[in-house]
Amino acid sequence: MITVSAFKWVPPFAQGLVRDLRVRWALEEAGLPYQSRLIDREVQRSADYRMQQPFGQVPVFEQDGLTLFESGAILVHIALKSDVLLPTDEAGRARALSWLFAALNSLEIHIQQLAEIDLFVPDAEWAKLHRPDVVKNIHQRLGELASWLGDRPYLEDRFTVGDLMMTTVLRILRHTDVLDAHPTLKAYKERCEARPAFQRALAAQLGAFQQHERRKD
C-alpha cells in the first residue's frame, strides 16, 4: 500500500494548499489506492522523519521499500505508472513533463514569493517595497502562460501531470485577485479543479484537518 505523509493540521490559510494535495490528486487520477500518515511537529522534527525527508516537509511517499520526497519528483514517479497522467508516446510524455517543471521553476518561484509576503510579513517595510515588483513579475509570467494556452482546454492536447502541477501552483494565488486579470487561466484552473479526482483529493486533505479540529473541541 502506498503511504503519503501529511500534516494533522495547518492554519486555515494553508488548508487546501499543502503539497500532499498534489500527490493525493495524482494518485486519485491514476486510480492507485493509498493511505495517509498524519504527522505533527514532533514527528516532523524527529531524526527518523528527517531520514525520509531531509527538510522535514510533506509529503513523503512510501511504497514497497521505496521512499521519495519532493512533490515534483513524486508526481513524476506516479505519472510514469499512468497513461491518465502521461501520454504513451515519447514526445507527449516529454512535453507533459516540461510543463510540470515549468510550473515549479517558471511560475511557482514567483508566486510563492507573493504568498510569503502576504501571509507572513505583510507589514514589513521591505515587503511593502518589494511586493509591486513581485506582482509585476507574476503578471508577466501569467500573461505568457495565457498566451500559450489560448483557447485550449489544457496545456497540451489533453490533461496531463503538467496541468495537475500547474493548477496547484495557480491555486497559491487564491488569497489575491491576481488571477482575475487573466480570465483564461482562471477558467483553466477551475476546469482542472472540477475533475472528480481533484475533488476527492481535496476532500481527503481537508477531512483530516476537520477531524483534528473536532478532536480539539
Side-chain angles (χ1 to χ4, degrees):
M1 171 68 77
I2 295 169
T3 300
V4 179
S5 70
F7 291 130
K8 288 182 178 179
W9 185 84
V10 295
F13 72 79
Q15 295 182 10
L17 295 179
V18 188
R19 286 167 174 76
D20 63 281
L21 179 65
R22 298 170 173 175
V23 177
R24 293 176 187 267
W25 186 4
L27 291 169
E28 292 286 355
E29 291 282 0
L32 297 174
Y34 72 96
Q35 62 187 3
S36 56
R37 174 194 177 193
L38 302 180
I39 69 169
D40 55 21
R41 288 185 179 275
E42 184 176 352
V43 172
Q44 186 182 6
R45 295 167 178 160
S46 69
D48 286 345
Y49 191 74
R50 293 293 175 130
M51 287 294 293
Q52 296 181 311
Q53 218 300 353
F55 308 103
Q57 300 169 325
V58 300
V60 166
F61 173 101
E62 298 176 83
Q63 183 184 28
D64 299 332
L66 172 66
T67 300
L68 297 173
F69 64 99
E70 289 296 329
S71 62
I74 297 170
L75 258 60
V76 171
H77 177 74
I78 296 170
L80 290 170
K81 300 175 181 292
S82 169
D83 58 10
V84 175
L85 294 169
L86 280 180
T88 54
D89 65 290
E90 184 176 356
R93 291 160 77 92
R95 293 283 300 180
L97 292 175
S98 293
W99 282 114
L100 182 151
F101 285 103
L104 294 174
N105 296 333
S106 296
L107 274 294
E108 188 177 42
I109 194 171
H110 298 288
I111 291 173
Q112 190 61 35
Q113 285 185 58
L114 182 61
E116 290 174 359
I117 288 173
D118 290 350
L119 300 175
F120 297 105
V121 290
D123 298 323
E125 190 61 27
W126 71 264
K128 294 176 182 178
L129 293 172
H130 187 48
R131 190 180 191 278
D133 288 334
V134 173
V135 173
K136 179 181 178 181
N137 289 336
I138 291 172
H139 279 302
Q140 179 179 337
R141 291 293 184 174
L142 293 179
E144 291 163 345
L145 180 63
S147 293
W148 167 264
L149 185 63
D151 59 1
R152 297 181 179 94
Y154 301 112
L155 295 170
E156 293 293 324
D157 59 357
R158 46 155 289 191
F159 178 86
T160 73
V161 70
D163 296 292
L164 189 158
M165 183 63 85
M166 189 66 75
T167 300
T168 63
V169 169
L170 294 177
R171 295 185 80 248
I172 300 171
L173 291 167
R174 71 180 186 183
H175 72 286
T176 75
D177 60 0
V178 169
L179 213 55
D180 291 343
H182 306 273
T184 298
L185 295 183
K186 186 174 182 179
Y188 161 75
K189 178 183 74 73
E190 292 172 352
R191 183 161 52 251
C192 292
E193 289 175 324
R195 294 177 68 84
F198 172 81
Q199 293 297 321
R200 292 193 297 270
L202 181 62
Q205 186 184 84
L206 297 181
F209 300 146
Q210 292 162 358
Q211 184 177 38
H212 179 75
E213 288 167 357
R214 286 195 295 269
R215 287 175 178 172
K216 286 170 58 180
D217 294 340

